[in-house]
Amino acid sequence: LTVVQETLAPTLIEEKRTLELDIPVALSVLADPIYLRQVFSNLLTNALKYSPHGSPLKVWAEQQEKDTLIVHIQDHGAGIPPSAQKHIFERFVRLERDMNSPVRGVGLGLPLCKHLLEAMNGEIWVESTGIAGEGSVFSFCLKIPVAEQKIEDAAEPEFNSAIANY
């Protein structure tokens, strides 16, 4: 997340934005670090693109049960109508209102996030009323390695890169 935050810093400053982070420092999840960085990058870039300058962004994480971490990314943009929410994770899908807006994209960022998270045994979803200004909360979950699993996985070299610390 630090790399993504550093990459977005110039935009945050230029657009007079704040990025509130509430993620435990010594946190481990079963994830490919490159995939996870791409997911954060896509979701935060979208939050910047689809919400007004000056509006804050918030990222927080919460542990669900003992083996699952849920990460949330909240913006204060136009939101996503409930009827469109199931389609935004499909390739090349963009909301009609965005087709002629200055916001550019081809509709591949969210499907890529979905694909990467599924490859890491995770999920992604969105919550939004679709009311302008209320924005959206994109959430995803990943597994937290349990102590016994960390020891077993450390013996498998190809899996070592799949444990990311954030």
Side-chain angles (χ1 to χ4, degrees):
L1 187 56
T2 305
V3 173
V4 174
Q5 191 177 0
E6 289 172 1
T7 304
L8 297 176
T11 304
L12 291 168
I13 292 168
E14 179 184 326
E15 295 183 4
K16 296 179 174 54
R17 307 261 201 151
T18 58
L19 175 59
E20 180 183 339
L21 295 175
D22 186 10
I23 297 181
V25 176
L27 184 63
S28 294
V29 293
L30 292 173
D32 180 292
I34 294 170
Y35 287 5
L36 190 55
R37 186 177 306 130
Q38 187 66 54
V39 168
F40 272 114
S41 179
N42 285 2
L43 293 176
L44 286 167
T45 299
N46 278 358
L48 287 168
K49 283 185 349 184
Y50 292 101
S51 60
H53 291 207
S55 64
L57 303 178
K58 182 178 179 181
V59 179
W60 73 98
E62 59 185 331
Q63 189 169 340
Q64 182 182 27
E65 301 171 8
K66 66 177 184 178
D67 68 341
T68 303
L69 181 79
I70 301 177
V71 177
H72 308 278
I73 298 173
Q74 178 182 30
D75 67 54
H76 295 279
I80 300 166
S83 61
Q85 291 175 16
K86 63 183 176 185
H87 300 290
I88 61 171
F89 296 102
E90 297 170 9
R91 293 182 324 155
F92 305 114
V93 170
R94 293 193 68 211
L95 297 180
E96 178 125 2
R97 70 166 187 234
D98 297 328
M99 297 301 279
N100 294 315
S101 78
V103 176
R104 295 289 157 232
V106 293
L108 290 175
L110 292 175
L112 177 62
C113 288
K114 181 178 188 258
H115 176 77
L116 294 174
L117 286 161
E118 286 175 351
M120 298 183 288
N121 296 312
E123 295 178 56
I124 187 170
W125 63 95
V126 64
E127 295 175 30
S128 180
T129 61
I131 298 172
E134 289 187 9
S136 303
V137 177
F138 281 85
S139 303
F140 64 89
C141 66
L142 290 168
K143 293 295 180 189
I144 297 171
V146 291
E148 302 83 39
Q149 189 174 20
K150 282 185 181 179
I151 292 167
E152 287 175 24
D153 295 339
E156 301 176 33
E158 68 274 6
F159 196 75
N160 274 344
S161 66
I163 298 177
N165 292 305
Y166 286 91

